[in-house]
Amino acid sequence: MAILITGGAGYIGSHAALELLRRGFDVVVVDNLSNSHEAAIDRVAELAARPVPFHRVDIRDRAALDQVFRTAPIDAVMHFAGLKAVGESVGQPLRYYDNNISGTIVLLEVMKQHGVRTLVFSSSATVYGDPASVPITEDFPLSAVNPYGRSKLFIEEMLRDLCRAEPEWRVALLRYFNPSGADPSGRIGEDPNGIPNNLVPFIAQVAVGRLPEVAVFGTDYPTRDGTGVRDYIHVVDLVVGHINALEKLAAGPGLVSYNLGTGRGYSVLEMIEAFGRAAGKTIKYRLAPRRPGDAAECWSDASRAERELGWRATRGLDDMCRDVWRWQSNNPNGYA
Ligand code: NAD
Ligand code: WQD
């Protein structure tokens, strides 16, 4: 079975490519390298001991994407390509809507033209907006609090409409909580551009000496230690969930949606401490005001995925920190 991976040079897409190759799938990677490096593909090929067909293509480029579908048979698409920085999306909404929404429309049209109607889509827990309570189930009301989140929400709605209009489509909406971790080889991992927005890569760069200290955003939340609580999920568990979703789609057409999380939350201070344990150092931090737009707690009820996909996260906090540290300490400057 051949899977087209859009955004396959990126953090999650590269781990998906590796896991698929390890399980004997064929993959084709499409990425415009706007937020990634071709070296990630080379390392996936090296780890899998198999060549990885790679096309440097923007998914909005219909002719180029059409050409990719002509060069190799494709059975299904895992769609990771997208811009994902929440703050940036507030300042550049049109760029986000064009890249994420227009890109997905072109992809769906080209898929249709080539008779490919199976799609696993990278959605996000951001589609739950500011949740009224935790844990979050898939039936919670959906909303968006920034253009990035709105782009995910629109794409979900678009896919629902498509499946209603053309019932032969098979679509899985996978709502990720907070992906973290890296392949245990330490050869591939998350390599954000500039100063990281997200907590774990920030901590990792403090640990490796690239940044002086972590700012803990908010210490007066109604949580066990006053800092924000999130559901950090190991990227390898996450990509295994995608393969289970693909198997589910093989059983019949329709649209399904799943939370991919661990079902438990850790606070910012717990994360800093766990990372310090993994790296064998004390991570310097300072207490800072809340970051606007942050919820106190966001963690999943992941029981639907367990029930219907037979999937659950098996890697814990210490595995995650250990694997991030191996990646970061072996590659202090990422892929550069
Ligand atoms: P990433 O930036 O590392 O990977 C995305 C990849 O898509 C990059 O390699 C980028 O170059 C590529 N890309 C972007 N626009 C493209 C376009 N128009 N054409 C071709 N390639 C394009 O991000 P990631 O963390 O691997 O995220 C993958 C997906 O998962 C994204 O859609 C993101 O929104 C979603 N997601 C991520 C998180 C997270 O915290 N990492 C959480 C929830 C959802
Ligand atoms: C985690 C916790 C911060 C940085 C974001 C997106 C979400 C999804 C995942 C894509 C929070 C605190 C952070 C720092 C800190 N992405 N923090 N100091 O905000 O839960 O989710 O990534 O879909 O849409 O919003 O993740 O890693 O930024 O923050 O104290 O330097 O760490 O306040 O409590 P978040 P995060």
Side-chain angles (χ1 to χ4, degrees), residues 6-14 30-37 57-60 79-84 99-100 103 121-126 148 152 174-179 190 198:
T6 73
Y11 169 46
I12 304 170
S14 58
V30 163
D31 201 301
N32 65 0
L33 303 181
S34 60
N35 195 39
S36 51
H37 295 87
V57 159
D58 190 302
I59 56 166
R60 290 166 296 179
H79 178 29
F80 298 95
L83 298 174
K84 62 164 184 177
N99 194 82
N100 294 3
F121 172 60
S122 295
S123 190
S124 166
T126 190
Y148 165 70
K152 292 292 177 191
L174 302 184
R175 299 177 181 150
Y176 313 160
F177 280 67
N178 290 59
E190 187 172 12
N198 297 116

Side-chain angles (χ1 to χ4, degrees), residues 206-229:
V206 171
V208 84
R210 276 173 71 175
L211 292 168
E213 62 182 5
V214 184
V216 176
F217 296 145
T219 53
D220 58 350
Y221 285 111
T223 59
R224 51 185 170 270
D225 62 15
T227 68
V229 169

Side-chain angles (χ1 to χ4, degrees), residues 5-204:
I5 306 178
T6 73
Y11 169 46
I12 304 170
S14 58
H15 285 83
L18 180 57
E19 192 63 30
L20 285 163
L21 289 166
R22 282 180 170 150
R23 291 174 185 232
F25 289 84
D26 292 322
V27 307
V28 176
V29 169
V30 163
D31 201 301
N32 65 0
L33 303 181
S34 60
N35 195 39
S36 51
H37 295 87
E38 195 169 346
I41 304 292
D42 299 338
R43 293 192 186 183
V44 167
E46 158 208 307
L47 290 167
R50 281 175 65 183
V52 178
F54 170 59
H55 303 269
R56 184 171 183 171
V57 159
D58 190 302
I59 56 166
R60 290 166 296 179
D61 183 342
R62 186 182 303 269
L65 198 56
D66 176 67
Q67 197 49 42
V68 172
F69 277 80
R70 284 178 197 284
T71 49
I74 288 167
D75 300 296
V77 176
M78 285 191 187
H79 178 29
F80 298 95
L83 298 174
K84 62 164 184 177
V86 171
E88 191 180 68
S89 80
V90 175
Q92 304 175 19
L94 296 181
R95 180 169 164 242
Y96 269 68
Y97 291 135
D98 180 44
N99 194 82
N100 294 3
I101 299 179
S102 308
T104 301
I105 293 173
V106 173
L107 172 68
L108 293 169
E109 285 172 347
V110 174
M111 284 175 68
K112 194 173 152 174
Q113 198 182 314
H114 290 271
V116 180
R117 288 190 177 78
T118 302
L119 179 81
V120 178
F121 172 60
S122 295
S123 190
S124 166
T126 190
V127 300
Y128 299 115
D130 191 358
S133 61
V134 279
I136 299 168
T137 67
E138 289 84 352
D139 307 320
F140 270 37
L142 303 180
S143 69
V145 288
N146 53 62
Y148 165 70
R150 224 161 340 263
S151 77
K152 292 292 177 191
L153 199 53
F154 283 166
I155 295 169
E156 283 206 1
E157 296 293 2
M158 209 161 71
L159 289 168
R160 261 181 223 105
D161 287 337
L162 179 61
C163 289
R164 259 181 231 122
E166 301 178 11
E168 62 274 31
W169 279 84
R170 297 160 191 250
V171 173
L173 310 175
L174 302 184
R175 299 177 181 150
Y176 313 160
F177 280 67
N178 290 59
S180 185
D183 186 70
S185 64
R187 294 290 290 156
I188 59 173
E190 187 172 12
D191 180 18
N193 258 332
I195 298 191
N197 298 309
N198 297 116
L199 179 65
V200 176
F202 201 106
I203 298 175

